[in-house]
Amino acid sequence: MKTFRLSLILLALTVGSARADSGDSCAEAVNINQGTHEAPKAPYWYQFTMPETGKGLMISSVGLTTTDTYLKVYDACNGNLLATSDDYTYGQSQVIIYSLSKDDVVYIEWADNYSAAGFRWKLELIEVSPGDDCTLPVTAYEGTNVIPENAGTHFWYEFTMPRSDAKMTVSTSANTYIQLFTNTCSELIELNSGTAELTVYDVSEGESIFIRWELYEGGNFPWNLLVEDVIPGESCSSPLLATVGNNIYQGETLTTYWYEYTMPSADSKMVISTHVESYVSVYRGVDCLIPNIINSGYMNLSVTDILQGETVRIFWQVYDNVQLSWTLDIQELEPGELCTTAVTALEGTNTVSAVPYYWYEFTMPAENSKIVITSEGNAGVYAFSNDCSNAEYLNSGYGGLILLEVSAGEKMLLLWDNYDAIQFDWQLSVEQIAPGDNCQHPHEISAGTHEFTHSPHWYVYTVPEADKEIVITSVGYTSEDTYLVVLTECNGSIIQQSDDFEDTQQSQLSLTNFDAGDNIYILWSDYYTRNGFSWNLSLHDIAKISLSNPTLTQTVAKGEAGSISLDISNPGKADLDYHIGQSLGLSFTDNEDMVYIPSNTSFNASSGITVSLWLYLIEDLNCNSYNNFRYLFSKGSSVIPYEGYHVIVEEDRTLTWSLGTTDGVLRYHAETPINIGEWVFLSFTYSAASSEAKIYLNGEELTGAYWTHDWPVWGGGILSTDEPLLFNYATYEPCSFGYGHLPSYMDDFSLWNKALTQEQIRQTMLHQVSVTAPNLVSYWDFEEIEDGMIPDKTNAQNHGYAYGLDYVTGAPVNGWLSFTPANGSIAAGSSARINLTADATDLDQKNYTAQMTVLSNDPKHPAVKIPITLKVTAPLGINKDALTYTLEQNYPNPVTTETIIGYHLPTNAQINLTVYNLQGQRIVTLKDGYQTAGRYRITWTGLDALNESVPNGMYFYRLVVLLPDGHQTSAIKRMIISR
């Protein structure tokens, strides 16, 4: 407690002793004059007093720094924002403020979006000319006006409207962009914008119109301003009077038409129709600046909620250059067309009239019952509780609906959306809730085929024994378009869900990792009907994979080769089918390459988080003066993560780990750069309890420091965000500005909802963690992509999507590893031995890492990845007498017709000499048997075991010797066939 109080006292003394002009806040802004300045850190505050009137004030970091600056200028602390700038050019900022007077004070806040480092900037007074700003406009006149030749990138005019009931048109043939505003320069309201020709309506006499020209190719071109009378019906302020019956426009053909109509009676509806291809909208009130739309539609429209005496505007947009002709009819409202005139629904058959929308009300007559609604009409039905004034949505369906958990005496509102506006019948029945109607009353089932009569339908299944695969499917049992969801409990977490399984419209799931006695809740539904269908649940024995070693290490002398053995066991009850290969990863080589994971609440790990992945940088990130960082991954704000989290790889290949927390933005920067051209394992952790962020490289914690805009930062929980999770998110082209893509390979991306310990991170690196591990939110191993989808290997099923990506050999890439056999099947209770060869013929004297992937039909561990370390030592000496067993290099090499392979045995031994291809497949065995001590030479003519010539390429030959004591030794060499 004393230590805590002392810390608070020291903090208070530190804050209280800040200089009045420290720059840490607006109240402590540093007073400056014109010239170039050096902000010592970011953010930083300045204040400047205008020395004279009639000059512009330019504030800029352009050309003075490469950092991504951000600028705001205020007229007072907590005052009005006068100007702001972010990306004026390549991340720097610049503003010019006009209309400042002598002795006006401005407050300048400089910040850097990505670091707390300082930078240079300048402040200077500049000459201003008419047209430079809205506050310095040139007067525009009717007729021809000319943009001056010395105009900058933009130019302003002001025109005063000479009369009301007129329109103003601005036109030019120049390559430019035009904006028309009204109101004042401080609060401009845009009326219209575009190129070539613009027209504005509904401008009052004496009102100022500000005209802004965006000059793409400079000035010195003419433009025209024309004020004309508004044609009746051309604008909202000069509408034509609509009448009941036919309305035919008699003037020149227009593309838009405005009409006005006053509703003559209560309890009536307005019915509008035309044969002209067009779109019609009805607006409430006569305020043309703030229209309030009631309804809109294509060619035909029915509007029910207009009061007697209310005036509405009718707006037509005609697609073709044809004269508009349309019909207006006022009809008496039928019962049911409004919520307030809802018709009482009856049990049995009810009839919807030929109107777009029709309302019913129904009172539930009994407890523990359901309302079943069916129809054959092309319509949707919506159910609400309460009355019209505070209706609450309950459920909806196409052609029908089942409503559960409705109490006796409860009033329901039903709205039919009658798509075809034709009369149809529908049925309502009140039935007892039956098993399967909801999750609280599920059907209890066992394995086998099941059938239900209507969807949705609920089931519960109790798992009879552990270590079984549960397959739930409708494939082959129905032609309906089914949808399947499996949950842990009612209102519980979704375990898995399935829609269109393998290009069918049916559903199928395979579930494992359940203990005996576990309950799973199964929900079946049909997307387009309420029909029932058949489906099946079956149990299957599963295979299991077990490895003799989770990691492998071999030491080999430079220029030699060594062998390692790996035993794969199957303790399961089914045959284990396996295939061995190198891991697959994703290649991010183009700017458009990225992975998109849709937002999920499980990604918002408020109390702690760990993100781990393998990364391989392809090339340097140096862009010669541009501040060119890259996103490794991102969830949340793309600049400063005020919520969510992201990691940036800086230009010098160092890492910044950023999080938005309840106490502010926390950013942790590690100074150790990532090497180019090798796989590294990265982990990023944060604990809200300790407010501690960490970065790990290959399982070792990196030293670093906290960067922040919000000082002081104590941490807190991570703020949630609905943004997706993105891998390698690029907004700009590389070396153009800011966050271009990261040229890299990635593999094995995992997300955890806790800060893992260093030991747990090392276990993750060595793949000693199951996909069902506690706190593992999602895991994407990138071993398969189907139709662009990247599967999440956990039960969370947070699948992602790949854009423009290719596969590469995954973490890590290597060319020195081979193995045999590459695939096979292991019976339950049996095992198989895999022989791996590490060839150091062309390797340097250092350590190398590889990763072998064993793919199998073990549902719990479908892809087991085994890290392999090769330690290359100094080459062996040339003293042949010191060698116990010798495998000589073949001669000649490359081989054109035949070659001789020599070897020496100091003792009698059982030997095997075999040739393999680069994939580790056996080509031919040259010798297999017992030999006495001595030197041997075998001639190989380049034929395989079938006596056929092998193709050109690189091959391995391996000598395996079984020693008298039972131990085994081996050696391997390479040769090239080139005929």
Side-chain angles (χ1 to χ4, degrees):
M1 180 63 71
K2 289 182 179 179
T3 302
F4 177 69
R5 292 185 60 190
L6 178 59
S7 298
L8 290 178
I9 293 170
L10 291 174
L11 174 62
L13 289 174
T14 302
V15 175
S17 62
R19 300 191 315 274
D21 60 349
S22 65
D24 288 336
S25 67
C26 182
E28 301 165 339
V30 176
N31 194 16
I32 56 165
N33 296 317
Q34 295 184 65
T36 300
H37 304 275
E38 183 87 29
K41 61 182 179 180
Y44 205 73
W45 285 85
Y46 296 89
Q47 70 175 32
F48 175 75
T49 303
M50 280 295 289
E52 57 183 297
T53 301
K55 293 289 182 72
L57 176 63
M58 183 177 74
I59 306 170
S60 176
S61 63
V62 176
L64 298 174
T65 182
T66 60
T67 58
D68 183 13
T69 62
Y70 190 68
L71 170 64
K72 292 181 181 180
V73 183
Y74 300 87
D75 63 358
C77 292
N78 300 317
N80 298 313
L81 181 65
L82 299 178
T84 183
S85 175
D86 185 8
D87 300 333
Y88 184 81
T89 57
Y90 299 114
Q92 286 71 59
S93 313
Q94 179 172 303
V95 299
I96 299 176
I97 304 174
Y98 302 89
S99 68
L100 289 174
S101 301
K102 182 180 179 181
D103 296 331
D104 284 349
V105 179
V106 294
Y107 293 84
I108 304 162
E109 181 189 15
W110 278 108
D112 182 332
N113 276 337
Y114 303 101
S115 80
F119 51 85
R120 299 178 70 209
W121 64 282
K122 67 181 178 181
L123 180 150
E124 61 183 52
L125 298 181
I126 62 172
E127 298 295 332
V128 296
S129 302
D132 283 350
D133 186 62
C134 176
T135 59
L136 301 167
V138 173
T139 301
Y141 299 95
E142 292 187 60
T144 301
N145 300 263
V146 177
I147 303 284
E149 184 176 4
N150 62 349
T153 58
H154 58 270
F155 201 81
W156 287 84
Y157 285 90
E158 181 180 15
F159 178 72
T160 303
M161 198 67 180
R163 62 185 189 275
S164 299
D165 301 324
K167 61 183 178 182
M168 185 192 80
T169 301
V170 173
S171 62
T172 185
S173 60
N175 179 23
T176 183
Y177 188 78
I178 316 165
Q179 293 173 284
L180 304 179
F181 301 93
T182 187
N183 213 5
T184 63
C185 289
S186 60
E187 297 180 348
L188 290 171
I189 299 174
E190 185 176 292
L191 299 174
N192 203 351
S193 61
T195 60
E197 181 174 301
L198 298 180
T199 300
V200 292
Y201 301 92
D202 310 319
V203 182
S204 303
E205 179 181 353
E207 187 175 348
S208 290
I209 304 297
F210 295 97
I211 309 166
R212 185 184 187 276
W213 295 86
E214 190 76 23
L215 307 178
Y216 300 140
E217 299 173 354
N220 195 27
F221 63 84
W223 61 278
N224 295 305
L225 189 153
L226 181 63
V227 177
E228 301 174 284
D229 291 335
V230 176
I231 300 172
E234 188 180 13
S235 75
C236 175
S237 59
S238 60
L240 295 167
L241 184 63
T243 59
V244 174
N246 291 330
N247 292 267
I248 302 174
Y249 186 74
Q250 301 295 341
E252 65 178 87
T253 302
L254 303 174
T255 57
T256 60
Y257 300 83
W258 285 90
Y259 284 84
E260 179 180 273
Y261 184 75
T262 302
M263 198 67 175
S265 58
D267 299 327
S268 299
K269 62 182 177 183
M270 176 187 293
V271 179
I272 297 170
S273 62
T274 184
H275 294 292
V276 176
E277 188 176 7
S278 57
Y279 196 80
V280 59
S281 303
V282 177
Y283 295 91
R284 195 183 304 278
V286 295
D287 188 346
C288 292
L289 291 179
I290 311 176
N292 181 10
I293 192 168
I294 304 174
N295 204 350
S296 60
Y298 175 69
M299 297 178 64
N300 302 291
L301 189 62
S302 177
V303 185
T304 57
D305 52 345
I306 304 176
L307 302 176
Q308 182 179 6
E310 184 178 1
T311 298
V312 296
R313 294 281 200 272
I314 305 167
F315 177 57
W316 290 92
Q317 293 174 280
V318 179
Y319 298 147
D320 298 320
N321 189 26
V322 296
Q323 205 80 345
L324 176 65
S325 173
W326 63 284
T327 300
L328 172 64
D329 191 17
I330 303 300
Q331 301 175 3
E332 184 178 349
L333 284 171
E334 294 185 32
E337 285 200 82
L338 296 178
C339 179
T340 53
T341 61
V343 175
T344 300
L346 304 174
E347 294 187 57
T349 300
N350 299 268
T351 301
V352 172
S353 297
V355 295
Y357 301 99
Y358 206 80
W359 287 88
Y360 287 89
E361 64 178 13
F362 181 75
T363 303
M364 189 66 175
E367 294 284 357
N368 300 319
S369 299
K370 62 186 177 185
I371 300 172
V372 180
I373 298 171
T374 58
S375 84
E376 298 298 329
N378 179 27
V381 60
Y382 300 82
F384 304 87
S385 63
N386 300 329
D387 54 28
C388 295
S389 61
N390 61 345
E392 294 185 7
Y393 171 81
L394 295 177
N395 206 344
S396 61
Y398 174 77
L401 184 64
I402 294 179
L403 296 172
L404 303 165
E405 302 175 7
V406 182
S407 302
E410 185 175 349
K411 179 181 176 181
M412 313 291 300
L413 290 169
L414 303 172
L415 171 62
W416 284 97
D417 188 353
N418 188 358
Y419 303 142
D420 299 326
I422 60 174
Q423 180 175 305
F424 66 89
D425 291 337
W426 64 281
Q427 290 72 40
L428 185 151
S429 61
V430 177
E431 305 171 10
Q432 287 291 311
I433 292 178
D437 281 342
N438 59 12
C439 189
Q440 288 73 26
H441 302 85
H443 256 128
E444 296 182 7
I445 57 167
S446 57
T449 300
H450 305 275
E451 184 177 7
F452 57 94
T453 57
H454 63 270
S455 64
H457 205 83
W458 285 89
Y459 295 88
V460 62
Y461 175 71
T462 302
V463 179
E465 57 181 302
D467 293 333
K468 289 285 186 178
E469 179 188 21
I470 305 169
V471 177
I472 305 172
T473 183
S474 62
V475 177
Y477 291 88
T478 181
S479 60
E480 298 287 343
D481 186 1
T482 65
Y483 189 71
L484 169 63
V485 180
V486 178
L487 302 93
T488 56
E489 57 185 355
C490 289
N491 301 317
S493 301
I494 294 177
I495 299 173
Q496 286 191 46
Q497 50 193 325
S498 172
D499 184 9
D500 298 334
F501 179 77
E502 292 186 349
D503 299 325
T504 71
Q505 291 187 317
Q506 287 72 57
S507 313
Q508 180 169 309
L509 291 176
S510 173
L511 306 172
T512 54
N513 303 316
F514 290 101
D515 295 325
D518 286 350
N519 286 334
I520 58 173
Y521 288 80
I522 303 166
L523 171 61
W524 280 106
S525 59
D526 186 324
Y527 262 141
Y528 300 105
T529 74
R530 310 200 64 76
N531 297 336
F533 49 84
S534 297
W535 64 283
N536 180 268
L537 185 151
S538 57
L539 288 176
H540 304 271
D541 289 331
I542 63 173
K544 291 184 177 182
I545 188 169
S546 177
L547 304 178
S548 58
N549 294 297
T551 64
L552 298 173
T553 301
Q554 175 74 344
T555 301
V556 178
K558 177 176 173 59
E560 302 297 323
S563 62
I564 318 171
S565 295
L566 173 70
D567 291 331
I568 302 178
S569 301
N570 175 16
K573 297 180 180 180
D575 289 349
L576 177 73
D577 298 322
Y578 70 90
H579 173 79
I580 301 176
Q582 290 200 27
S583 170
L584 292 178
L586 292 182
S587 170
F588 297 83
T589 53
D590 295 325
N591 204 52
E592 295 78 17
D593 294 349
M594 67 172 291
V595 171
Y596 172 95
I597 313 291
S599 179
N600 188 288
T601 55
S602 63
F603 295 165
N604 296 321
S606 60
S607 61
I609 189 172
T610 298
V611 181
S612 293
L613 74 155
W614 284 94
L615 178 69
Y616 182 102
L617 287 184
I618 300 173
E619 60 188 47
D620 203 345
L621 308 182
N622 192 337
C623 286
N624 298 324
S625 82
Y626 289 107
N627 179 33
N628 208 254
F629 56 88
R630 321 292 175 93
Y631 280 111
L632 180 56
F633 61 84
S634 174
K635 177 174 172 56
S637 306
S638 62
V639 183
I640 299 175
Y642 294 106
E643 45 187 39
Y645 42 86
H646 68 227
V647 165
I648 284 173
V649 182
E650 307 285 352
E651 186 176 9
D652 59 1
R653 305 192 311 279
T654 59
L655 301 165
T656 302
W657 172 219
S658 304
L659 307 102
T661 73
T662 53
D663 289 344
V665 179
L666 184 146
R667 301 201 292 171
Y668 187 78
H669 180 76
E671 294 293 343
T672 303
I674 304 171
N675 291 333
I676 300 171
E678 69 178 57
W679 282 97
V680 295
F681 188 72
L682 299 175
S683 295
F684 307 89
T685 70
Y686 174 74
S687 168
S690 63
S691 300
E692 222 178 2
K694 295 181 179 181
I695 300 176
Y696 294 85
L697 173 65
N698 295 330
E700 299 297 329
E701 184 180 349
L702 299 180
T703 58
Y706 290 100
W707 290 359
T708 180
H709 286 306
D710 302 322
W711 184 90
V713 162
W714 303 107
I718 304 171
L719 293 176
S720 63
T721 171
D722 292 331
E723 295 294 324
L725 176 59
L726 306 172
F727 306 165
N728 205 338
Y729 173 61
T731 302
Y732 299 92
E733 290 291 331
C735 293
S736 60
F737 157 68
Y739 25 105
H741 91 287
L742 182 68
S744 61
Y745 308 142
M746 293 187 197
D747 200 4
D748 296 342
F749 196 107
S750 62
L751 176 65
W752 307 71
N753 60 12
K754 67 172 289 188
L756 298 183
T757 65
Q758 185 174 35
E759 181 57 32
Q760 290 170 328
I761 286 172
R762 289 172 175 172
Q763 290 174 354
T764 304
M765 176 181 173
L766 299 178
H767 304 287
Q768 296 174 351
V769 177
S770 168
V771 293
T772 59
N775 302 108
L776 178 60
V777 175
S778 287
Y779 172 58
W780 302 275
D781 63 3
F782 303 150
E783 293 300 322
E784 53 183 312
I785 299 180
E786 298 178 3
D787 297 325
M789 189 186 79
I790 299 176
D792 174 11
K793 296 300 184 178
T794 71
N795 286 335
Q797 300 290 286
N798 294 320
H799 304 315
Y801 300 91
Y803 294 91
L805 295 170
D806 294 322
Y807 270 130
V808 293
T809 302
V813 170
N814 64 82
W816 47 262
L817 179 67
S818 61
F819 39 81
T820 184
N823 53 68
S825 182
I826 304 173
S830 300
S831 63
R833 173 161 292 184
I834 310 300
N835 296 310
L836 295 89
T837 299
D839 181 16
T841 302
D842 296 323
L843 299 183
D844 294 329
Q845 186 177 329
K846 64 177 185 177
N847 291 349
Y848 294 83
T849 56
Q851 183 170 251
M852 187 175 73
T853 299
V854 183
L855 303 175
S856 74
N857 59 332
D858 180 343
K860 291 187 178 182
H861 302 91
V864 179
K865 301 189 178 185
I866 307 167
I868 302 171
T869 300
L870 172 62
K871 299 179 179 180
V872 180
T873 61
L876 297 175
I878 61 173
N879 182 3
K880 297 292 183 178
D881 296 333
L883 299 178
T884 307
Y885 295 90
T886 303
L887 177 63
E888 299 172 356
Q889 185 65 51
N890 66 304
Y891 180 83
N893 188 34
V895 181
T896 56
T897 57
E898 63 181 25
T899 190
I900 297 174
I901 301 173
Y903 56 93
H904 173 251
L905 303 178
T907 62
N908 302 342
Q910 187 81 19
I911 70 105
N912 178 281
L913 179 62
T914 300
V915 179
Y916 298 90
N917 62 16
L918 281 177
Q919 287 73 43
Q921 298 168 324
R922 187 180 69 86
I923 299 300
V924 64
T925 297
L926 301 179
K927 183 67 179 178
D928 185 20
Y930 182 82
Q931 286 187 316
T932 59
R935 187 174 299 277
Y936 294 87
R937 294 193 174 194
I938 295 179
T939 300
W940 182 48
T941 58
L943 301 179
D944 63 13
L946 300 178
N947 209 34
E948 295 180 356
S949 294
V950 299
N952 291 344
M954 184 177 293
Y955 294 82
F956 296 99
Y957 57 97
R958 183 188 187 200
L959 176 67
V960 179
V961 180
L962 183 62
L963 303 179
D965 62 2
H967 288 84
Q968 177 179 293
T969 186
S970 65
I972 193 168
K973 296 284 186 180
R974 290 192 297 180
M975 62 181 164
I976 297 174
I977 304 293
S978 178
R979 295 186 177 93

